Amino acid sequence: MAQPTSDRIVTDYLKRLEAAAAPLAHDRRKELVAEIREHIEASLAESGARSDADVRNVLERLGSPEEIAGAAGVGGGGSSPTRRAGPLEIAALLALLVPVAGWAIGGVLVVVSRAWSGVDKVVGLSVLLVVPLLFSIAVVTSSADGDRSPIVVVDGAEQRVTDCPEGSETLSGCVVDTEGGSGLGVVEVAFLLGGIVLPGLVAVAYLGWRLNSVPSTMRSAFV
Amino acid sequence: MSVARRVWRLPAASGTMRYMVQGETRNPLSQLRRGILEYCVLAALRGGARYGFELVRALSQTDGLVTSEGTIYPLLTRLRKDGLVNTFWSESDAGPPRRYYELNADGEAALTKFTADWTRFSEAVSRLITEERNGTADK
């Protein structure tokens, strides 16, 4: 029976198509592969035959996976390329650069966007949790030599930070100038800034890269 | 070979030869095809809504128009995104529901404009080629 081989030919072809369409947005890529698969099935159903030769003929008429992906905008696009980085994606990346407040907005926009695959979204957004976590650990461990958390002088008595006076809140406590100079050191401030600013930068860098990455094999097809 | 033709060929030689060696994706005619094809798709929809496979079949009847049938699907998506066609799903007895494409007002307008431009353009090109061949071009 020729059937198993012919099925494998089709599967191989569709795999190549999926690979060639990798730079496309996730939804778009899946849709394209589904359309081509349906076309192949309809073609073979129409002719009624399913031999290897029939399958190869259908695939020949379809064109190479690279050609089809090229028509979908891979490798510089056709006459009206469908840009993957639309206004939604740009807004999402810009929002993520704004510490904390922007992360919520940016996070929502990333989830809503169809330009990133689910995996990309999870990885890109988890950076926003992981990096601050790492920095918090670093801050805590760096002040492990005696309790160096900021001290607030209330009614003449020293108290540890719980309620911060208005306007002096930061990630690790209140920044208050106290006698004894046990406020935030340069190192802690650096960690704070890193923990606030860096996650956004890393997330944007990763998501931006995923948006624009083109496999090197595609580049060589165009002089 | 006339002097005019020989001189014309020299500067273009490297580009043209490279195009021909690289294969049809760099052939000027294939680039033309790509740009024209979407209007051919719109024209094919004039008779009423059709689904993807149907359209591909209709277009591949015309000899030399479609070299790679698979490229019509991304083209249809682009037409949809550009707002020149509307789509709807319809049940089919033969299997899963099919997506149908139909021309909308914007598509009609684009097609009308293209038809005028294309007629003017193709007539000018044909005229030029005929003049060259008959040697009636200015020396």
Side-chain angles (χ1 to χ4, degrees), chain A residues 82-145:
Chain A
T82 315
R83 292 249 162 264
R84 292 185 59 208
L88 181 70
E89 286 72 35
I90 306 244
L93 292 180
L94 286 175
L96 287 174
L97 287 174
V98 177
V100 190
W103 296 349
I105 301 170
V108 170
L109 292 179
V110 167
V111 168
V112 164
S113 162
R114 296 172 79 207
W116 287 290
S117 69
V119 172
D120 285 345
K121 291 176 188 177
V122 167
V123 173
L125 294 180
S126 59
V127 163
L128 299 174
L129 293 173
V130 168
V131 176
L133 195 65
L134 292 174
F135 275 90
S136 302
I137 294 172
V139 171
V140 168
T141 53
S142 84
S143 38
D145 53 337

Side-chain angles (χ1 to χ4, degrees), chain A residues 10-21 63-66 69:
Chain A
V10 172
T11 312
D12 284 347
Y13 180 87
L14 291 173
K15 275 198 191 133
R16 275 173 57 201
L17 180 59
E18 180 125 26
S64 74
E66 289 74 29

Side-chain angles (χ1 to χ4, degrees), chain A residues 132-195:
Chain A
L133 195 65
L134 292 174
F135 275 90
S136 302
I137 294 172
V139 171
V140 168
T141 53
S142 84
S143 38
D145 53 337
D147 190 354
R148 289 183 58 205
S149 65
I151 300 172
V152 179
V153 177
V154 178
D155 291 339
E158 285 186 344
Q159 290 185 6
R160 290 289 158 202
V161 170
T162 41
D163 297 311
C164 285
E166 258 183 51
S168 66
E169 285 160 317
T170 61
L171 269 186
S172 74
C174 309
V175 180
V176 178
D177 247 320
T178 66
E179 285 180 286
S182 53
L184 289 174
V186 175
V187 180
E188 279 87 352
V189 171
F191 275 138
L192 270 179
L193 288 177

Side-chain angles (χ1 to χ4, degrees), chain A residues 93 97 199-211:
Chain A
L93 292 180
L97 287 174
L201 289 175
V202 174
V204 167
Y206 174 78
L207 290 171
W209 169 65
R210 290 302 297 158
L211 204 55

Side-chain angles (χ1 to χ4, degrees), chain B residues 15-32:
Chain B
T16 323
M17 290 310 293
R18 186 174 66 199
Y19 284 179
M20 287 167 64
V21 164
Q22 285 285 344
E24 63 141 351
T25 42
R26 283 288 171 257
N27 181 315
L29 208 57
S30 94
Q31 289 182 345
L32 187 67

Side-chain angles (χ1 to χ4, degrees), chain A residues 31 39 43 61-62 80 222, chain B residues 26 57 68-70 73 78:
Chain A
E31 190 182 39
H39 174 101
S43 242
R61 288 173 63 172
L62 268 179
S80 58
F222 291 88
Chain B
R26 283 288 171 257
R57 276 285 165 270
S68 159
E69 292 183 348
Y73 292 95
R78 197 160 64 235

Side-chain angles (χ1 to χ4, degrees), chain A residues 28 31-32 35-36 38-39 42-43 46 60-64 67-68 71-72 78-82 221-223, chain B residues 18 22 24-26 35 38 53 56-57 60 67-71 73-74 77-78 80-82 96-97 99 101:
Chain A
R28 180 71 201 97
E31 190 182 39
L32 182 60
E35 284 173 333
I36 299 297
E38 265 180 52
H39 174 101
S43 242
E46 197 183 52
E60 182 104 345
R61 288 173 63 172
L62 268 179
S64 74
E67 263 182 294
I68 299 178
S79 49
S80 58
T82 315
F222 291 88
V223 174
Chain B
R18 186 174 66 199
Q22 285 285 344
E24 63 141 351
T25 42
R26 283 288 171 257
E38 50 187 281
F53 186 65
V56 173
R57 276 285 165 270
S60 39
T67 46
S68 159
E69 292 183 348
T71 58
Y73 292 95
T77 305
R78 197 160 64 235
R80 191 173 90 231
K81 291 214 162 109
D82 289 348
R99 173 177 246 151
Y101 295 85

